[in-house]
Amino acid sequence: MAHAARGFSLIELMIAMVLGLLVVAGLINLFVANRKAYQVQSGNNYLQENMRIASDRLGWSLRMVDFWGGNKAVGVTVDSSASATVTDNGDCDGNWATAITYSTTGGGGIFGYNGAASPPIDSTCIGGTANYVPGSDVLVLRYADPQVLSPGPVPVAASTITGNADRIFLLSTPGNRAELFAGSVPAPQPNATLMRYAYPYQIDMYYLRPCNVMTGSTCTASADGGQPLPTLMRMRLSDGNFVSDPVVDGIEQLKIEYGEASAATGMAPEYHSADNVGNWADVISARVSLVAVNPVRDLTVPHVATYTLGNCTYTINNGSAATTTGCAGFKPYGDKPWQFVRASQQFVVQLRNRVRG
C-alpha cells in the first residue's frame, strides 16, 4: 500500500516541467509569429487601400476635366458674378478659380505645377510653406459637377441657386452656349424655349501636406500625435471660400506627367512634367505616380528600395540617409525610413472630355 501511494520523483517532476516549458515556448513563438504576420498583412492592406482611395479620387476628378454641359470651354462665358463671389486666398482668387481657358496663366480644365523645395503655387493658397511636402506636384482641375439640377427653359432649381448666392453654377444649353455665374439665373439667350441645364461648378486642387490633423493651422512636429503623416489633400470651393480636406493619409510622394497629343506626335501622347508641357490644350491624359507608406514600423527586414516617379527618384538605404535625385528638398517619411513598408503605383487616366471633343 505504501509503495502504491508514492507521488512523482523529483527527476520526473523536473522532466515534466521542462517538457511543459518547451510546449509553452512553442506556443509563444507561434503566437509572436502569427502576430508579426498579421501586422505585415495589415500594413500591406493599409497601403493597398490608401493607394486605391487616392487613385479613385484623382481618377474621378481627372475624368471630369473640361465637362461644361455639352459645350467646349471656349464657348463658356464667365460672368463677373462668378469670380466676385470667391474670397481671395493669395493668388488663388476669383479670377484664378474661374479661369477655365488657357488664355490665363494657370487656367484651363487641367493645369499642373512641378514639385519644388517650396510650394510651386502661392503658399497662401495652402496655408503656408509648412503645409506642403517638398518635391511633390500640385494638380488643378476645373469642371462642372455632373449632378445636374432640374432642367428647363428656366431651371426649376432657380430658387436653390438664388438661395446659395456664394456658390458658382454653370448654366448650359448643350451645343449652343454656357455661362458661369453666381446669384440669380441669367436670362435665356438667344432662344427662350431651349432647354437649359444648371450644374454646380467645381475646382479641385490636389497636393501633399506633411500631416493629416494639424496643430492649429500648420503642420508641426506635434501634429498627428507627434508622428506627422503625409496626406493627400483636396482644396475646393465651399460657399465662396477655399477649404482643404484630407483625401487619404500615408501618401509619401506624388508626381504627375501630362500626355500631349498633336499632329507632330501623330496624335499619340508624349508625357512631360508640368514645366515641359508645350501646350496645355493638347493634353489628353495624365500619368500619375505615387508612393504610399505604412506609419507602423516593421523591424523584421530592412525595407530598402528605389522609387522613380517621373523626374523624381529616391532610394531608401539600410542604416543611412535616403538619396534623392530631382525631388527638390524631399525627405522620405520616418527618422529611419528603411523601417517602414512602402508601395508604389502608377496609372494613366484619359481626359475623356478632351478626347471626345
Side-chain angles (χ1 to χ4, degrees):
M1 293 291 293
H3 178 77
R6 285 191 312 169
F8 292 106
S9 67
L10 180 59
I11 295 177
E12 292 172 329
L13 183 59
M14 293 180 63
I15 292 174
M17 291 177 62
V18 170
L19 293 176
L21 289 174
L22 291 175
V23 172
V24 171
L27 291 175
I28 291 175
N29 287 334
L30 180 62
F31 173 78
V32 172
N34 286 339
R35 182 174 179 81
K36 289 182 178 179
Y38 172 79
Q39 290 177 334
V40 171
Q41 186 59 47
S42 295
N44 291 336
N45 292 341
Y46 175 87
L47 294 178
Q48 296 299 324
E49 183 68 9
N50 283 3
M51 288 193 297
R52 184 190 66 80
I53 294 173
S55 61
D56 283 354
R57 181 66 250 185
L58 285 166
W60 191 92
S61 293
L62 282 164
R63 285 187 287 271
M64 290 308 304
V65 162
D66 272 337
F67 171 70
W68 306 117
N71 293 280
K72 293 185 178 181
V74 293
V76 180
T77 301
V78 180
D79 190 86
S80 59
S81 62
S83 56
T85 193
V86 179
T87 301
D88 289 354
N89 190 26
D91 288 344
C92 299
D93 56 12
N95 292 329
W96 176 84
T98 57
I100 63 174
T101 62
Y102 298 101
S103 58
T104 302
T105 302
I110 181 172
F111 192 87
Y113 299 85
N114 210 43
S118 57
I121 192 172
D122 182 10
S123 63
T124 306
C125 296
I126 59 175
T129 302
N131 292 341
Y132 167 73
V133 172
S136 60
D137 288 357
V138 176
L139 175 66
V140 179
L141 308 172
R142 300 177 177 91
Y143 57 94
D145 193 295
Q147 294 183 348
V148 62
L149 304 179
S150 300
V154 178
V156 178
S159 60
T160 301
I161 293 173
T162 56
N164 292 274
D166 291 332
R167 295 195 62 185
I168 302 175
F169 295 89
L170 175 80
L171 190 64
S172 171
T173 302
N176 190 303
R177 69 186 303 274
E179 184 173 357
L180 278 184
F181 71 97
S184 59
V185 180
Q189 294 182 22
N191 190 331
T193 63
L194 294 176
M195 295 291 287
R196 300 191 297 168
Y197 301 82
Y199 306 86
Y201 174 67
Q202 298 286 349
I203 175 171
D204 294 335
M205 186 173 83
Y206 291 97
Y207 66 98
L208 293 187
R209 192 169 73 184
C211 69
N212 186 344
V213 181
M214 297 187 295
T215 53
S217 59
T218 306
C219 284
T220 64
S222 60
D224 295 330
Q227 192 175 6
L229 186 59
T231 301
L232 175 65
M233 303 295 297
R234 173 195 175 209
M235 190 180 81
R236 59 182 177 84
L237 272 176
S238 176
D239 295 330
N241 295 299
F242 284 106
V243 297
S244 290
D245 302 318
V247 176
V248 62
D249 58 18
I251 304 302
E252 181 178 70
Q253 185 55 273
L254 170 69
K255 302 295 286 186
I256 303 164
E257 298 167 286
Y258 304 89
E260 280 187 271
S262 62
T265 65
M267 299 311 294
E270 292 184 352
Y271 289 92
H272 308 285
S273 62
D275 290 346
N276 296 319
V277 172
N279 186 358
W280 285 96
D282 291 336
V283 174
I284 63 170
S285 61
R287 184 162 64 194
V288 181
S289 302
L290 54 86
V291 173
V293 60
N294 183 1
V296 178
R297 294 179 185 270
D298 179 16
L299 304 180
T300 55
V301 293
H303 300 282
V304 297
T306 296
Y307 301 95
T308 300
L309 304 86
N311 58 357
C312 169
T313 299
Y314 63 98
T315 299
I316 305 298
N317 301 306
N318 183 15
S320 58
T323 57
T324 63
T325 303
C327 302
F330 168 71
K331 292 183 179 180
Y333 174 79
D335 55 344
K336 298 179 179 179
W338 60 90
Q339 295 179 350
F340 299 90
V341 182
R342 290 171 172 81
S344 61
Q345 183 182 30
Q346 184 180 88
F347 57 94
V348 175
V349 180
Q350 187 180 64
L351 309 184
R352 59 187 181 187
N353 295 306
R354 292 285 187 84
V355 176
R356 295 174 180 173

